Amino acid sequence: MTPTGKERYLGPRGYEQATYLLNFQQLLIIGLFLLGTLMLFVRFETETALLIVNAAIACVFLISTLYRMLLIDRSLRRSATLEITQEELDRPREWPRYVVQVPLYREPHAIPHLLSALGKLDYPKDRLTIQLLIEDDDAETKAALTKHRIAPPFTVVRIPVSYPRTKPKACNVGLAEAVGDYLVIYDAEDRPESNQLKKAVVAFSKCAPSIACIQAKLNFYNSTRNLITRCFTAEYAMWFDLCLPGLDALRAPIPLGGTSNHFRLDVLRRLKGWDEYNVTEDCDLGLRLFMGGWRTRIMESTTWEEACPRLPSWIRQRSRWVKGYVITYLVHTRKLADQTHKLGIGNSLHFHLLIGGSVISQLLAPFYWAMVIIWLIYRPEQLGAYFPGPVFAMAAICLFVGNFCFIYSCAIACACRGFGAIVNYTPLMLVYWIVMSLAAWKGTLQLIWRPHYWEKTQHHES
């Protein structure tokens, strides 16, 4: 059902939701942009107009590249990651009530491992509730559960069959039943460090009340399975060990990971949970936390996940992420002036560069890689006309300096992680990024016909 009236702009939960994509103002801005581009080609010769467009795109690439380098540099210079010592964990304290959510859908194979991994959590069982969120029509997973004794702290929460069929919808059902002080989400294949909940409690106690979320780091336990998992591991190491700590150091909005984000439960309820129509509900929630006056910190604790080992599954997962980033960007730019006021100029720039800039760079990258390949093979003189001195300098910085810095950063992140065997594969990240761009196009185009479709990631594949 399409929202109408006030609900169309505020959403039934009182905040902007992804129930639709564009409002009138956004359509007007897009129309004016397209008209301006058309007038550019009418006013100037085609070659001149293409040169202007190319210069503008080169500026976007350069700014995006310098921004990522800034985050990595800030992270390496002054780490803001919260570190918890064993001495702090051993101090006597009354442990608060903790709720663990595990959304499950068609994952019968994950049940034995899931019960074993979460059963090893080092946390008082009388202060812990582990919600297994099961869809009512998921006969496979329910059948797999009957083979095991489900006893406290585990509890099964039934998710009614209703639209949208998304992970955040299931989490909101669990949130309505949650009783506790803190809440964390894990995926079915996750293997969190056994003391992660205790670390999060200690971390919250060391932080100001304005810290409403603590994000643990993510990486993969099947990192060396094949080339895809190796590159995926290098990307995750750079993102969670360098980029997010850099955002933390800059006190900027942090797009949350899909798992291992630990929340103050009362704050999560005040924010009314997750946007059920957004397929990257974690990124959206991280922004809403910040605009609500709360912050997210990064904690030195790792949850080990299973990387998609096959390219089709990896593309499905990646395209969903990009689609969700686009949705998040559109939702949070519906009232641009209000959003800028809430975030401030500096943090608005973080938002535009991190969310919008990353998507635009991924979408444009294939065209520029194609031009590089054409130039290397054929050396056409016509192509050089679009890259006069300043434009060529910007493009060269992005292509050579930028890619070198990112590859080098991936190598540093892998070395710091103890993934020395993966460092030798980091030069292949160039190919990985090209495939990432193709997945970005798939996700963006899917907005046209299936904006709220949640492409299920199949991890358990031979």
Side-chain angles (χ1 to χ4, degrees):
M1 181 176 178
T2 303
T4 58
K6 186 176 180 181
E7 283 193 348
R8 181 170 177 81
Y9 290 93
L10 294 180
R13 292 180 169 273
Y15 60 82
E16 290 282 356
Q17 285 187 294
T19 49
Y20 68 103
L21 297 182
L22 296 167
N23 63 12
F24 175 77
Q25 292 90 335
Q26 289 171 312
L27 288 171
L28 180 61
I29 291 172
I30 292 173
L32 290 174
F33 174 78
L34 294 176
L35 180 61
T37 304
L38 177 63
M39 293 303 297
L40 182 66
F41 282 86
V42 172
R43 174 67 177 79
F44 299 99
E45 295 181 356
T46 301
E47 291 78 6
T48 303
L50 286 173
L51 174 59
I52 295 172
V53 171
N54 187 42
I57 293 174
C59 286
V60 171
F61 271 119
L62 180 62
I63 293 170
S64 180
T65 299
L66 293 176
Y67 175 68
R68 286 299 182 104
M69 291 169 64
L70 167 67
L71 294 182
I72 293 168
D73 176 72
R74 182 57 62 94
S75 178
L76 292 172
R77 284 178 180 272
R78 183 171 62 86
S79 175
T81 304
L82 292 167
E83 297 193 22
I84 310 301
T85 66
Q86 188 61 45
E87 181 184 359
E88 290 175 309
L89 292 175
D90 291 339
R91 288 175 190 166
R93 69 177 71 235
E94 181 179 350
W95 295 102
R97 296 167 300 171
Y98 228 110
V99 178
V100 175
Q101 285 192 339
V102 188
L104 294 165
Y105 187 57
R106 295 180 180 174
E107 295 178 285
H109 60 272
I111 297 300
H113 147 71
L114 169 66
L115 298 178
S116 173
L118 297 188
K120 295 176 183 176
L121 287 174
D122 179 18
Y123 203 81
K125 296 300 183 283
D126 62 333
R127 309 295 288 170
L128 180 64
T129 300
I130 301 176
Q131 294 182 335
L132 304 179
L133 310 178
I134 311 292
E135 300 279 344
D136 264 346
D137 64 345
D138 187 359
E140 297 171 285
T141 305
K142 289 195 288 188
L145 276 174
T146 61
K147 299 176 183 178
H148 302 270
R149 180 174 175 269
I150 305 301
F154 291 93
T155 181
V156 175
V157 178
R158 295 174 52 190
I159 310 301
V161 178
S162 62
Y163 185 81
R165 304 299 300 272
T166 60
K167 172 182 172 181
K169 192 276 294 288
C171 290
N172 281 337
V173 174
L175 178 62
E177 297 188 13
V179 177
D181 302 292
Y182 298 103
L183 180 145
V184 63
I185 296 175
Y186 291 126
D187 284 338
E189 76 282 358
D190 283 0
R191 298 178 184 175
E193 291 181 357
S194 61
N195 61 359
Q196 189 175 107
L197 302 188
K198 286 186 174 180
K199 281 188 173 182
V201 170
V202 174
F204 275 118
S205 70
K206 295 170 63 174
C207 294
S210 60
I211 306 302
C213 178
I214 291 179
Q215 172 73 60
K217 297 179 179 180
L218 307 179
N219 218 294
F220 303 115
Y221 54 76
N222 62 333
S223 58
T224 58
R225 176 165 177 178
N226 56 30
L227 182 59
I228 296 173
T229 61
R230 286 182 172 93
C231 289
F232 207 173
T233 298
E235 181 196 7
Y236 254 41
M238 183 176 72
W239 180 248
F240 284 98
D241 294 316
L242 294 181
C243 290
L244 291 191
L247 288 169
D248 193 352
L250 292 169
R251 301 175 66 86
I254 293 178
L256 303 178
T259 175
S260 304
N261 22 56
H262 299 255
F263 299 98
R264 295 186 189 273
L265 189 53
D266 60 331
V267 174
L268 189 57
R269 282 211 167 96
R270 288 175 66 180
L271 288 171
K272 301 184 180 180
W274 297 266
D275 185 347
E276 300 171 1
Y277 291 86
N278 194 324
V279 295
T280 52
E281 76 296 336
D282 40 15
C283 176
D284 169 76
L285 184 55
L287 291 166
R288 286 198 286 118
L289 275 168
F290 196 91
M291 289 192 289
W294 292 286
R295 283 189 59 214
T296 300
R297 298 293 308 276
I298 308 299
M299 176 176 67
E300 193 58 64
S301 178
T302 301
T303 295
W304 301 96
E305 299 189 307
E306 183 181 15
C308 296
R310 294 183 65 247
L311 187 60
S313 295
W314 182 89
I315 288 177
R316 284 197 296 271
Q317 183 182 59
R318 178 66 54 164
S319 64
R320 173 170 58 82
W321 290 354
V322 173
K323 181 171 69 173
Y325 262 52
V326 177
I327 290 173
T328 299
Y329 190 78
L330 294 176
V331 166
H332 289 276
T333 53
R334 287 174 185 163
K335 298 179 179 179
L336 192 56
D338 185 51
Q339 184 246 32
T340 304
H341 174 73
K342 289 180 178 179
L343 289 177
I345 298 296
N347 289 317
S348 290
L349 289 175
H350 282 295
F351 165 75
H352 291 298
L353 290 170
L354 193 66
I355 308 301
S358 64
V359 173
I360 291 173
S361 296
Q362 289 180 58
L363 294 177
L364 293 175
F367 300 102
Y368 281 81
W369 278 111
M371 283 194 285
V372 169
I373 293 170
I374 291 171
W375 185 83
L376 288 174
I377 296 175
Y378 300 106
R379 303 291 177 94
E381 294 182 5
Q382 297 88 340
L383 197 58
Y386 301 114
F387 289 90
V391 178
F392 178 80
M394 289 189 291
I397 290 173
C398 295
L399 180 62
F400 299 107
V401 180
N403 279 305
F404 171 79
C405 288
F406 288 148
I407 290 172
Y408 187 60
S409 298
C410 285
I412 291 175
C414 287
C416 293
R417 264 279 167 196
F419 295 145
I422 295 179
V423 172
N424 295 333
Y425 290 86
T426 52
L428 296 175
M429 293 298 289
L430 290 174
V431 179
Y432 178 80
W433 288 328
I434 293 173
V435 180
M436 187 188 301
S437 294
L438 300 179
W441 272 103
K442 176 180 179 290
T444 303
L445 292 174
Q446 199 179 71
L447 284 168
I448 300 172
W449 62 87
R450 302 184 88 178
H452 304 126
Y453 174 60
W454 186 284
E455 285 200 274
K456 175 67 178 172
T457 303
Q458 296 297 332
H459 292 275
H460 187 74
E461 299 180 73
S462 57

